[in-house]
Amino acid sequence: MDSDHESDDRPPRRPPSPSKDPYVYTLQSSRHASSAKVCRDFVACVLNSVGQWELVDTAALCTSELATNAFLHAEGDSVMLRVVIEPPRFRVLLYDASAELPAAVGLPEGDRLRGRGLGLVAALTDAWGTAEGDATGLYAKGVWFELAGKEEDAG
């Protein structure tokens, strides 16, 4: 039987034009002890899928630090993770319900086990900071970091 539509498994007639808009990937997670693993795995998956393998380890570690801080110090039942890709820049934001801003600190002296997270983020990333809450009002603030990836080939 003939059909008026094309099969979904045929390639498009011409490739789509690349978008100039940023790519945004969002994950909503419970604020739970497992949040750090879920968030870092999500970021690693996104970066691997767009070919930025060299950023995966650093981004996963820094994401884990932000998610751990949200679990230990924030309020509310959930966090929202957003990965914004505007090559060559990659920004990871983690939103939580606490209005209290994190303190910018250096790495602690000695053998202290706590207080190293944001110092690591500051040392390993190209930039980091805080953002206002999300547009829905569910989250009071975001903490973000940026990494520079490789430039895409122009050809």
Side-chain angles (χ1 to χ4, degrees):
M1 175 185 271
D2 290 332
S3 174
D4 289 337
H5 70 278
E6 292 183 22
S7 171
D8 289 338
D9 55 357
R10 287 189 204 164
R13 292 179 190 207
R14 60 189 150 112
S17 301
S19 174
K20 301 295 183 198
D21 296 328
Y23 293 101
V24 179
Y25 299 87
T26 303
L27 171 74
Q28 185 131 7
S29 173
S30 61
R31 191 175 66 85
H32 187 267
S34 63
S35 298
K37 178 175 179 12
V38 170
C39 290
R40 76 175 168 254
D41 288 352
F42 179 79
V43 168
C45 182
V46 169
L47 291 176
N48 276 318
S49 71
V50 297
Q52 295 293 333
W53 307 282
E54 73 281 358
L55 299 180
V56 170
D57 290 340
T58 301
L61 174 63
C62 292
T63 300
S64 186
E65 293 298 336
L66 297 187
T68 299
N69 282 349
F71 171 68
L72 293 174
H73 306 294
E75 302 167 0
D77 295 330
S78 66
V79 295
M80 181 174 60
L81 179 69
R82 190 163 281 157
V83 181
V84 181
I85 302 174
E86 293 182 276
R89 312 284 311 157
F90 296 84
R91 180 178 277 205
V92 175
L93 300 99
L94 187 86
Y95 291 95
D96 64 54
S98 174
E100 186 174 336
L101 297 177
V105 295
L107 293 174
E109 298 287 328
D111 294 335
R112 283 187 27 215
L113 296 177
R114 291 184 166 240
R116 297 180 183 275
L118 288 178
L120 284 172
V121 171
L124 295 173
T125 63
D126 296 315
W128 79 277
T130 59
E132 292 183 13
D134 71 314
T136 66
L138 185 60
Y139 301 103
K141 72 153 181 320
V143 181
W144 58 268
F145 66 84
E146 280 188 354
L147 297 169
K150 63 183 180 207
E151 292 280 346
E152 291 184 12
D153 292 333

